[in-house]
Amino acid sequence: MKDNYDNIVLIGMPGSGKTSIGRILAKKINMCFYDLDEYIERKSGKRITEIFAIYGERHFRTLESCAVKEISSKTNAVISAGGGVVLDSKNMHVLNKRGIIFFINRPVEDIAHDIEISSRPLLANDRDNIYRLYKDRYELYKKYSDFEILNDRGILEAVKQIIEILNGNYA
């Protein structure tokens, strides 16, 4: 594990539990919590779905890269990154520079079963797109993560696994 990191970064698919895990983790280890999508919405004054609809994905990715730079400059933060943050290697370089990165890997079947697609622009009201996104992004999540957390036994178990790793208890 990295000896020197300021932040904990959670990456993974939409619906993998990053935000829920991040909020609980930040409270348990007394760190600040930032959700990149929520940060973008606050800064832009628009919902992610509106940004995609009005300006398109390319504009959203530009906003996302700016948010990555701003949030990564903070310290003592748990950062929940958007599912597509891994699509830009520059984003991952910035996040990796000061953070330890955990891939929250929730079984895609579980995500497909209960994800709210209306708030996820890339799913375009088609639940099956989640399988395509998973296939397209899985190797990137693996490539950029320091540790993989299988979120198949619930949020609290995932938080516990991360804390164990941070405490040096990992194989």
Side-chain angles (χ1 to χ4, degrees):
M1 183 169 74
K2 292 179 187 173
D3 291 331
N4 189 16
Y5 62 91
D6 294 319
N7 300 317
I8 297 166
V9 180
L10 307 179
I11 63 172
M13 288 290 293
S16 64
K18 300 179 303 283
T19 298
S20 298
I21 290 166
R23 286 188 202 288
I24 294 168
L25 178 64
K27 276 186 185 170
K28 284 190 176 281
I29 62 176
N30 199 29
M31 293 178 84
C32 298
F33 175 73
Y34 297 93
D35 179 286
L36 280 177
D37 286 347
E38 290 173 4
Y39 183 82
I40 292 166
E41 287 182 342
R42 271 195 315 275
K43 252 194 120 167
S44 70
K46 292 185 175 25
R47 308 260 317 140
I48 300 296
T49 52
E50 291 176 277
I51 295 168
F52 268 78
I54 297 168
Y55 306 106
E57 183 177 0
R58 179 177 287 174
H59 180 74
F60 171 76
R61 297 295 171 205
T62 300
L63 295 176
E64 183 177 58
S65 292
C66 291
V68 163
K69 289 175 189 159
E70 290 170 19
I71 297 295
S72 290
S73 69
K74 301 185 181 307
T75 59
N76 201 39
V78 174
I79 302 167
S80 171
V85 75
V86 295
L87 299 174
D88 186 337
S89 62
K90 292 179 198 130
N91 286 340
M92 297 313 300
H93 175 74
V94 170
L95 289 167
N96 184 53
K97 195 171 182 181
R98 297 184 64 194
I100 181 170
I101 300 177
F102 289 90
F103 167 26
I104 307 301
N105 187 5
R106 184 172 181 221
V108 69
E109 297 79 17
D110 293 351
I111 295 171
H113 179 263
D114 64 19
I115 193 168
E116 175 54 51
I117 60 173
S118 65
S119 63
R120 314 284 181 159
L122 291 180
L123 300 183
N125 294 320
D126 182 355
R127 192 171 301 280
D128 288 338
N129 280 342
I130 198 77
Y131 294 99
R132 180 187 52 77
L133 285 179
Y134 187 81
K135 182 179 177 278
D136 292 347
R137 296 176 180 176
Y138 178 78
E139 290 303 322
L140 293 172
Y141 294 136
K142 297 278 285 182
K143 173 183 176 180
Y144 291 121
S145 62
D146 296 303
F147 295 95
E148 181 176 349
I149 303 297
L150 184 57
N151 181 14
D152 63 348
R153 292 182 283 161
I155 303 280
L156 294 178
E157 180 60 30
V159 170
K160 180 181 167 194
Q161 288 177 53
I162 293 170
I163 291 172
E164 286 175 1
I165 290 169
L166 294 172
N167 289 332
N169 301 322
Y170 59 93

